[in-house]
Amino acid sequence: MAVSDRDGPGAIDDSQEFDDDSPIGDEEEPRHRAPSPEELAVEAGAPAAAGDIATDVALTDREAAANDAADRIRRVERRDVLRWGGRAAAGLGAALLMTGAVLGARALPPEPLEATEAPVTLVQPSSPLQSRVCAGPALRIGTSDGSDALALSAIAEPEVAIGSLGGEISEQRLPVPSLDGASGGTAIAQRGEATTLSAAQSLPVDVDDVRGLAVSECGETRLDQWLVGGSTRTGRQSTLTIANASQVSASVDVTVHGPEGPVESVGSTGISVLPASQVVLDLAAIAPGVGDVVVHVVSTGAPVSAHLQQSTTRGLERGGFETVDPVSALTTALLPGVAVTEATGIETQSGFDDAVPTLRLLSLEGGQVRVVFEAEDGSVIESEGELEAGRVTDFPLEEIPAGITTIRVSADSPIVAGARQVAIAADGNDFDWVAGGQPRSGSAAIAVPPGPGATLHVVSASEEPQEITVDGRAVELGALGVHRQPVEPGSVVVAGEALVVSVGYRDGSRVAGFTASPQGPTAGGVTVVH
């Protein structure tokens, strides 16, 4: 088989032929031949782009196809090598970085590169929408005479207060389908104002088998929340309300934790909450006979607002009424204005063991927890211990001096905390759960619903002293300082940095209060990185 002529200085003449022109079998390997000196001389004089002519001319079409396939395989293998080589280079870079850290500053260039931060802008919506949902009326499951254990009725209506620095406010009562047409909690919306919306309700109850005062915050809807308080033991009725103020349905899972851990239950998952409605659950139907309760509420589809109502009856004696507000599981919690009262001796009577001040804790993952009790006179008691994951632990506060106490809780893993305070008197008993709060910054109008002896508690979470303002009046607050003053119904404007704020109520036989939640994401705007 002859090779055709080529034009130019490197042309090949007709004398160049294959030495062996016998056919090549399909299974045979490609045959190779050594180029002659004449061919090498011609190749040396050819242009660089011509390649290895002596080898090229030895190829048949079948050999070329085989070599192309092999080349494709080699290219894939080379990509794999580059990929793993990149990973190895990254690992080597990390090793060099660690080595540089060990060597110290002398290993760095004499003039380090200049570090710059990307410019950011906080974009605040021109008309931000914030919403809060209140717990609603006091509810009773079953009739007072015991004739219908499943009957659900409203026994007292709340009074709602709103704190806002501006914007457009709207209110809507949410229906409770299982409540025979009665309304549930109030959904409150604020549009056009960036500062935090605040709302709270006051709920005094005095009927045949329930008496007490509950003041609770109208909370921002959430996908994940915890309720620290409640009991389903004999004589304690705990009712869980779940409100959905959005325009889409929510599916809710409820988990009850007790001293032995999460309680196995049926019917506590996939609870449907229709748009703009509220559902009511008897907690005893999910977790009966649990004395120390923490409830976890998780929602999908839409955020919800959950509250836990508890009433206590000891025989024929009414033992109080309370509404527990939701909190978030974080590594810190601050409980302001907890009243530790002197022992009365009533706690030694049968059924009165829960009529004492108590700190309730639950650790999600277990581990060390540190608790600091700060009295009004500045004295401090510190305690440290180990918590088991998922188990509710109650710590009676009989060793803490009587008075108003600030409780600071910190842990290495997320925890939730609440403190029970009590009012014991001849004309009645009551109790209240103080929710563990988180710091808030800026200026906000805190709602103050009516109630006896309303008192504002402001606690600093900052280790630096600062000047705060309360209704425009300057107040000097030291590092981790505390401020307390009486307030009137309506609202009170508080401004400062890293503050936890609560409002407490008390008379001889009633006690109540709420801890204001920090600013939610709906008011915070969006940070844009340029």
Side-chain angles (χ1 to χ4, degrees):
M1 176 178 176
V3 180
S4 61
D5 294 343
R6 296 181 182 177
D7 297 332
I12 303 176
D13 59 29
D14 292 337
S15 65
Q16 295 168 312
E17 297 180 353
F18 288 110
D19 295 333
D20 183 2
D21 59 357
S22 61
I24 300 175
D26 291 340
E27 304 301 326
E28 294 184 50
E29 295 292 333
R31 300 174 186 175
H32 301 280
R33 63 179 294 276
S36 66
E38 293 80 5
E39 291 169 340
L40 292 173
V42 172
E43 180 180 355
D52 189 346
I53 300 177
T55 302
D56 291 345
V57 298
L59 300 178
T60 65
D61 292 341
R62 185 166 57 253
E63 290 175 301
N67 285 349
D68 288 341
D71 185 61
R72 284 195 298 272
I73 294 174
R74 286 193 295 271
R75 285 198 298 271
V76 172
E77 292 173 346
R78 284 196 295 272
R79 285 197 298 271
D80 289 342
V81 169
L82 290 173
R83 189 180 300 116
W84 285 104
R87 295 173 183 172
L92 178 60
L96 290 176
L97 180 61
M98 294 175 63
T99 304
V102 173
L103 292 177
R106 294 182 180 178
L108 299 176
E111 295 182 1
L113 298 176
E114 181 179 356
T116 60
E117 294 183 0
V120 297
T121 302
L122 178 63
V123 179
Q124 184 67 50
S126 59
S127 184
L129 175 65
Q130 300 180 63
S131 64
R132 301 289 184 270
V133 183
C134 306
L139 302 174
R140 177 169 56 199
I141 296 178
T143 56
S144 59
D145 59 4
S147 60
D148 187 353
L150 300 179
L152 177 64
S153 59
I155 57 177
E157 289 293 329
E159 184 171 347
V160 176
I162 298 174
S164 174
L165 295 180
E168 178 185 347
I169 303 294
S170 61
E171 301 180 40
Q172 175 190 3
R173 290 292 297 270
L174 300 179
V176 182
S178 59
L179 200 56
D180 296 331
S183 296
T186 300
I188 301 168
Q190 171 185 275
R191 186 180 294 277
E193 172 59 42
T195 57
T196 303
L197 171 67
S198 174
Q201 69 170 38
S202 175
L203 185 53
V205 182
D206 192 356
V207 295
D208 47 6
D209 56 349
V210 183
R211 176 195 179 277
L213 172 67
V215 179
S216 60
E217 184 183 39
C218 304
E220 188 173 22
T221 56
R222 312 179 190 184
L223 294 174
D224 190 299
Q225 52 202 303
W226 296 79
L227 298 153
V228 184
S231 173
T232 61
R233 57 186 280 195
T234 302
R236 282 74 175 164
Q237 184 180 90
S238 293
T239 305
L240 178 64
T241 63
I242 305 173
N244 177 11
S246 73
Q247 300 304 308
V248 296
S249 295
S251 178
V252 176
D253 295 340
V254 176
T255 304
V256 177
H257 291 255
E260 302 302 320
V263 178
E264 294 186 5
S265 58
V266 178
S268 61
T269 60
I271 300 167
S272 178
V273 186
L274 297 177
S277 69
Q278 186 175 22
V279 300
V280 180
L281 301 175
D282 182 0
L283 206 64
I286 299 175
V290 182
D292 309 330
V293 167
V294 171
V295 181
H296 188 199
V297 178
V298 177
S299 174
T300 57
V304 297
S305 177
H307 291 85
L308 186 66
Q309 297 185 10
Q310 183 195 336
S311 62
T312 297
T313 304
R314 301 179 178 94
L316 299 178
E317 185 172 350
R318 301 178 296 178
F321 176 79
E322 165 62 347
T323 299
V324 179
D325 291 331
V327 298
S328 298
L330 298 169
T331 56
T332 62
L334 200 158
L335 290 72
V338 179
V340 179
T341 50
E342 295 278 4
T344 61
I346 194 173
E347 66 275 4
T348 62
Q349 299 181 22
S350 176
F352 283 84
D353 53 305
D354 58 350
V356 294
T358 300
L359 174 64
R360 180 168 295 180
L361 300 176
L362 180 141
S363 171
L364 275 62
E365 302 172 8
Q368 289 288 318
V369 62
R370 293 166 294 278
V371 183
V372 178
F373 302 91
E374 301 175 0
E376 285 186 290
D377 61 5
S379 60
V380 172
I381 297 176
E382 298 186 12
S383 179
E384 184 171 317
E386 185 102 2
L387 294 178
E388 294 187 47
R391 294 191 171 192
V392 179
T393 304
D394 276 11
F395 298 93
L397 303 181
E398 67 246 359
E399 301 298 329
I400 305 301
I404 302 299
T405 300
T406 299
I407 304 177
R408 303 177 191 264
V409 184
S410 60
D412 298 329
S413 62
I415 56 169
V416 291
R420 180 175 59 213
Q421 50 186 358
V422 298
I424 307 295
D427 58 340
N429 305 323
D430 199 9
F431 66 97
D432 171 61
W433 282 98
V434 179
Q438 302 299 326
R440 57 192 292 145
S441 297
S443 179
I446 306 300
V448 182
T455 303
L456 177 72
H457 302 270
V458 182
V459 180
S460 174
S462 173
E463 297 186 354
E464 298 293 332
Q466 62 175 308
E467 182 181 272
I468 68 170
T469 60
V470 179
D471 275 344
R473 181 174 66 87
V475 176
E476 296 296 330
L477 204 59
L480 304 177
V482 178
H483 172 71
R484 181 165 65 103
Q485 71 175 60
V487 287
E488 295 297 324
S491 66
V492 55
V493 179
V494 180
E497 298 299 316
L499 304 177
V500 177
V501 181
S502 73
V503 181
Y505 301 79
R506 177 178 287 274
D507 61 14
S509 61
R510 294 183 298 174
V511 60
F514 70 93
T515 303
S517 57
Q519 175 172 292
T522 54
V526 178
T527 300
V528 178
V529 181
H530 301 282

